[in-house]
Amino acid sequence: MKKILLLSMLVALTACSNQPNQLILNPVYKSGKVTSINANISTSVIDLRGDNVTLKIIESDKVKTLASPGLTESVKSTLDSALSRNGASISNLATTRFELDIHALQAIVTEKMMTHTSHANIELGIRVIRSNSNFSKVYRGSANLEGPLRHDRAKIESQLNKLTEQLITRIVSDPELIAYLEG
């Protein structure tokens, strides 16, 4: 019986330590129609972060970093969904370009003996470019999370996904941006 219990504990510990070395971000736009955007636009997302670290885990004297492959595609999908649900027509042939720059998108987790904290920080810049003018603005958001014991990667992913979705909702409902798009 002791051998079975010991073997079970060993398997459980091994499974916990074999998490993939990447963070899976997939924000989903859930806010529905919050405004009305009457514009034809082409969209792009550009990752301008200095490095591709999306999660930094600080544990006493060790620092572990994880990237999030496919981040720009995931954010673009969320942006396109938000714009479309709010009336914008997305087309690669549109003369108005809507560019979203990712300046910062990262969670820093600090692990202590019996607790952990996570601080997420996102900064997104937009540029809307027409043949004779352009509009730009920066949107920032942050969120904090605390919990007992070690962090749960799914909760950190959820924290970043929710914050990204909140910022994109703020972007598509920005009266200045809408006025420029329709002007």
Side-chain angles (χ1 to χ4, degrees), residues 83-143:
L83 289 166
S84 295
R85 286 190 187 173
N86 286 285
S89 177
I90 312 281
S91 168
N92 289 336
L93 302 175
T95 56
T96 301
R97 291 192 343 246
F98 190 110
E99 298 175 351
L100 185 143
D101 297 331
I102 302 172
H103 297 283
L105 199 156
Q106 185 178 70
I108 299 175
V109 174
T110 304
E111 302 237 344
K112 296 188 177 162
M113 183 70 77
M114 297 301 287
T115 62
H116 71 276
T117 58
S118 171
H119 177 72
N121 181 45
I122 299 178
E123 182 178 303
L124 304 175
I126 61 155
R127 270 185 320 281
V128 181
I129 303 166
R130 293 190 175 141
S131 59
N132 58 351
S133 65
N134 66 47
F135 173 91
S136 62
K137 194 167 184 177
V138 175
Y139 302 82
R140 293 176 183 88
S142 61

Side-chain angles (χ1 to χ4, degrees), residues 3-181:
K3 287 182 182 181
I4 293 174
L5 182 60
L6 183 62
L7 186 58
S8 297
M9 287 174 45
L10 184 61
V11 168
L13 286 173
T14 304
C16 290
S17 67
N18 284 335
Q19 293 184 10
N21 286 332
Q22 63 186 21
L23 195 69
I24 300 170
L25 289 186
N26 190 23
V28 176
Y29 180 74
K30 300 177 197 152
S31 296
K33 188 167 176 69
V34 293
T35 191
S36 182
I37 302 171
N38 185 19
N40 294 323
I41 53 179
S42 67
T43 62
S44 63
V45 174
I46 305 161
D47 189 352
L48 297 177
R49 299 176 299 158
D51 60 23
N52 64 351
V53 173
T54 307
L55 174 61
K56 184 183 288 188
I57 303 165
I58 302 168
E59 185 178 1
S60 60
D61 61 344
K62 295 185 298 184
V63 175
K64 183 176 180 182
T65 59
L66 300 174
S68 183
L71 178 64
T72 55
E73 294 83 3
S74 180
V75 171
K76 183 179 182 331
S77 174
T78 307
L79 176 66
D80 288 354
S81 175
L83 289 166
S84 295
R85 286 190 187 173
N86 286 285
S89 177
I90 312 281
S91 168
N92 289 336
L93 302 175
T95 56
T96 301
R97 291 192 343 246
F98 190 110
E99 298 175 351
L100 185 143
D101 297 331
I102 302 172
H103 297 283
L105 199 156
Q106 185 178 70
I108 299 175
V109 174
T110 304
E111 302 237 344
K112 296 188 177 162
M113 183 70 77
M114 297 301 287
T115 62
H116 71 276
T117 58
S118 171
H119 177 72
N121 181 45
I122 299 178
E123 182 178 303
L124 304 175
I126 61 155
R127 270 185 320 281
V128 181
I129 303 166
R130 293 190 175 141
S131 59
N132 58 351
S133 65
N134 66 47
F135 173 91
S136 62
K137 194 167 184 177
V138 175
Y139 302 82
R140 293 176 183 88
S142 61
N144 293 308
L145 179 69
E146 290 184 31
L149 305 175
R150 297 180 60 84
H151 77 282
D152 178 354
R153 191 168 310 165
K155 286 184 180 178
I156 306 303
E157 290 170 347
S158 176
Q159 178 188 36
L160 286 169
N161 284 331
K162 184 176 181 181
L163 188 55
T164 302
E165 192 253 337
Q166 288 172 345
L167 281 177
I168 289 176
T169 300
R170 196 179 325 156
I171 290 168
V172 300
S173 62
D174 184 335
E176 287 180 297
L177 173 63
I178 294 166
Y180 180 79
L181 285 169

